[in-house]
């Protein structure tokens, strides 16, 4: 992430993937606040983009990530038409699972929402856990700064 973007949103740390977004009316409640479900949908979009960019696929025959648990913290309210930055990174990984961290910052406004998801890689054909391949593990460590857990 370039320094100007990091400074504009007040982002700290290493993030593997990010994108800017303008909050749409469909993502808000009647008070023009970002709806809590919209945060999760936007973070899900980031998870899918991360998985595809890391060489994963989505098909009935291929392994894919399933959310095992999710923790969300709402720091500040976001509003209709806010310019926000969404980011995702892998914090850690094991043989068949990984932990993603998500953040949403408002330009010149700070962190609005953060989340942590434990994702388990499942073989969709069998329903069993599947190993994360070495190329993806390497990407998690090198690009995202993830730590391998035992």
């Amino acid at each position: 992430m370039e320094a100007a973007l990091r400074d504009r949103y007040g982002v700290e740390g290493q993030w593997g993937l990010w994108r800017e977004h303008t909050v749409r009316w469909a993502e808000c409640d009647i008070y023009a606040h970002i709806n809590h479900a919209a945060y999760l949908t936007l973070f899900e979009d980031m998870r899918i983009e991360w998985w595809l960019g890391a060489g994963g696929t989505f098909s009935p025959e291929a392994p894919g990530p399933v959310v095992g648990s999710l923790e969300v913290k709402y720091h500040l309210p976001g509003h209709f038409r806010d310019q926000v930055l969404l980011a995702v990174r892998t914090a850690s990984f094991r043989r068949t699972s990984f932990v993603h961290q998500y953040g949403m910052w408002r330009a010149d406004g700070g962190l609005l929402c953060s989340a942590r998801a434990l994702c388990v890689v499942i073989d969709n054909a069998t329903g069993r856990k599947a190993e994360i391949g070495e190329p993806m593990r390497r990407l998690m460590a090198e690009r995202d700064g993830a730590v391998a857990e035992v």
Side-chain angles (χ1 to χ4, degrees):
M1 181 182 303
E2 56 276 357
L5 190 64
R6 184 180 299 282
D7 291 344
R8 180 173 179 219
Y9 288 96
V11 176
E12 296 179 0
Q14 181 176 341
W15 292 85
L17 182 68
W18 59 90
R19 70 176 165 90
E20 290 183 286
H21 175 74
T22 302
V23 177
R24 302 174 309 133
W25 181 253
E27 296 164 336
C28 296
D29 61 21
I30 61 171
Y31 304 107
H33 297 125
I34 300 173
N35 181 287
H36 68 279
Y39 289 103
L40 302 181
T41 300
L42 291 165
F43 291 158
E44 179 181 48
D45 289 345
M46 295 300 292
R47 181 171 47 258
I48 290 167
E49 191 174 335
W50 187 97
W51 182 258
L52 293 172
T57 62
F58 287 100
S59 82
E61 298 81 32
V66 175
V67 175
S69 66
L70 182 65
E71 177 184 331
V72 182
K73 293 182 181 179
Y74 302 99
H75 304 274
L76 295 168
H79 303 93
F80 174 56
R81 299 190 57 124
D82 276 352
Q83 184 69 33
V84 298
L85 181 74
L86 300 161
V88 60
R89 64 181 169 198
T90 309
S92 62
F93 58 90
R94 293 185 174 196
R95 191 176 60 81
T96 61
S97 65
F98 57 93
V99 173
H100 262 177
Q101 293 177 328
Y102 306 92
M104 179 190 288
W105 295 262
R106 179 175 41 234
D108 303 318
L111 183 63
L112 301 180
C113 184
S114 60
R116 181 182 186 278
L118 170 64
C119 299
V120 180
V121 180
I122 300 294
D123 181 330
N124 289 306
T126 66
R128 295 192 176 120
K129 292 180 182 180
E131 284 197 34
I132 300 169
E134 187 55 35
M136 189 176 288
R137 293 166 65 88
R138 213 172 19 258
L139 179 67
M140 290 174 174
E142 293 172 4
R143 184 187 68 184
D144 291 7
V147 175
E149 295 181 353
V150 180

